[in-house]
Amino acid sequence: MSDPLETLGLDPAQTALYTAVLRLHRATLAELAAAMDGPTDTVGRQLDDLVRLGVVDEQSGHYLARHPAAALGRLIAQRLDLLAEESRRIDTALSSIRHLIRDYDAGRDYQSGPFPVELVSGADILYESVVGIAVQAPPMELLTAIPDERTMLDFARKFADPWVDAQQRELLSMRAIIPVSTLTLPGVRDQLGRLLASGGQVRTLDKVPSWFMTAGPGVAGLPAAWGGNLPDHAYNFYVVRAPIVVGVLRSLFEELWARAVPLPWGRKSDGMVQVLRLAAQGMCDDSIARHLGVSVRTVRARFADAIAELGAQSRFHAGVEATRRGWLT
């Protein structure tokens, strides 16, 4: 086995000498050389190293062992400082790599010429274009943010079918962020249910900052004005084919996705909704357990899941949040 003190900077010979000083507690150079059965000059140099490391004191020709907790604790603290500094250097290097990657992408885009930007008009073209891109390189990851009820209604009534069909055929995989207020719109729940059943993922926010989308690693869709939606601009939008723009929008999407709340539909979510709905009717834990045919422990676990999922502080707060987010509709 390796010597644990080697990590602190002591070689095997120094460790053996340190152990001898500990056992003798107070000894001269000659006594320590005799105990080590080694040359006086060699032992003297090793003692100088131990004094410099701070684990042994020298007083009037005698060498005294410092208490191991204090002596080795100092070495451990020094080693931790070195590790912390090394960690800071690694973090700095990683940050530099990210900046270099951005410079690399910018240089590549510069060499390829100006950003290819195309003004596109029409909802049909939007939804057909997504499927067309997916066909070229399946399965394409589609990320989209929908900020308003009108766009969500158009999606549910007219345009969800081709995207759901493409997902069922494994041409694309879709993640969408939508406003929580759109969950109660006519037809939205059914279409979102189909989207989830085909493998898509949807989360909600109180407010989505703007419409945008990314289709795979190389195509992005942007509104005519940031912060706007599609219907207000007659479905005019820009298609940008630049990896650096796609990367920025994907980073924004992931940030919003981390803050968003999953839909209350699915096996686990259904359980949370059930206990919240029954609690809102005035039922206690025991009554809810009997009504659902589960244990009281399961009921309480579902309440805990709901509180965590909704970011609530209590059951009552969870019920308020669930109602506001359309979970209990």
Side-chain angles (χ1 to χ4, degrees):
M1 295 180 60
S2 61
D3 184 354
L5 297 185
E6 186 177 351
T7 305
L8 301 179
L10 276 69
D11 61 33
Q14 291 170 335
T15 299
L17 179 57
Y18 177 55
T19 302
V21 177
L22 289 175
R23 290 174 177 172
L24 294 175
H25 188 65
R26 181 185 181 92
T28 64
L29 172 58
E31 290 170 336
L32 288 167
M36 295 298 296
D37 193 22
T40 303
D41 56 345
T42 301
V43 173
R45 287 194 298 272
Q46 294 171 345
L47 283 169
D48 290 341
D49 291 337
L50 294 179
V51 171
R52 188 177 64 257
L53 288 171
V55 298
V56 170
D57 288 332
E58 191 271 331
Q59 296 179 359
S60 304
H62 288 81
Y63 294 90
L64 294 85
R66 300 185 64 189
H67 192 285
L72 299 182
R74 175 173 168 271
L75 293 181
I76 291 171
Q78 291 174 345
R79 184 64 57 179
L80 288 173
D81 287 341
L82 290 174
L83 291 174
E85 178 61 28
E86 188 66 20
S87 177
R88 285 191 290 271
R89 290 177 181 175
I90 292 172
D91 288 341
T92 301
L94 290 174
S95 178
S96 298
I97 290 173
R98 288 191 287 269
H99 288 298
L100 293 172
I101 290 173
R102 285 197 291 269
D103 290 341
Y104 172 83
D105 288 338
R108 183 178 58 180
D109 292 334
Y110 173 76
Q111 290 297 330
S112 354
F115 287 168
V117 178
E118 177 185 2
L119 179 61
V120 178
S121 179
D124 292 337
I125 294 179
L126 166 63
Y127 291 97
E128 291 170 2
S129 298
V130 167
V131 176
I133 297 169
V135 169
Q136 297 174 24
M140 178 197 74
E141 184 179 28
L142 174 65
L143 309 179
T144 184
I146 300 175
D148 65 302
E149 296 183 358
R150 289 180 60 193
T151 306
M152 197 65 209
L153 277 173
D154 285 348
F155 173 79
R157 292 172 178 171
K158 305 176 183 178
F159 308 112
D161 291 340
W163 284 8
V164 171
D165 178 67
Q167 190 158 247
Q168 289 172 337
R169 291 188 291 141
E170 299 183 352
L171 295 177
L172 61 83
S173 62
M174 178 179 175
R175 282 192 289 159
I177 300 173
I178 64 175
V180 66
S181 60
T182 62
L183 294 181
T184 57
L185 295 175
V188 167
R189 174 163 182 161
D190 291 340
Q191 290 290 30
L192 291 181
R194 293 182 60 231
L195 186 63
L196 295 176
S198 65
Q201 300 178 63
V202 181
R203 291 188 180 182
T204 63
L205 283 174
D206 289 340
K207 181 176 177 59
V208 179
S210 179
W211 176 84
F212 66 90
M213 74 168 191
T214 66
V219 180
L222 287 167
W226 182 258
N229 58 30
L230 293 173
D232 287 347
H233 298 277
Y235 275 85
N236 291 320
F237 64 96
Y238 295 101
V239 174
V240 183
R241 300 180 185 273
I244 191 170
V245 175
V246 176
V248 170
L249 291 176
R250 287 175 66 90
S251 296
L252 172 61
F253 183 91
E254 295 297 347
E255 178 67 25
L256 296 174
W257 185 262
R259 301 178 186 179
V261 177
L263 291 178
W265 308 322
R267 183 172 299 177
K268 180 179 178 181
S269 298
D270 282 345
M272 293 189 292
V273 171
Q274 287 174 337
V275 297
L276 290 171
R277 183 177 288 120
L278 294 174
Q281 296 173 13
M283 296 176 66
C284 65
D285 289 2
D286 290 338
S287 298
I288 293 173
R290 287 193 298 271
H291 183 84
L292 297 177
V294 298
S295 67
V296 174
R297 184 177 180 180
T298 297
V299 170
R300 290 171 180 166
R302 291 179 181 179
F303 273 121
D305 288 339
I307 290 171
E309 194 75 60
L310 292 163
Q313 305 300 319
S314 64
R315 290 188 180 188
F316 176 78
H317 188 198
V320 172
E321 279 295 311
T323 301
R324 188 177 65 82
R325 293 181 179 275
W327 284 30
L328 306 185
T329 301

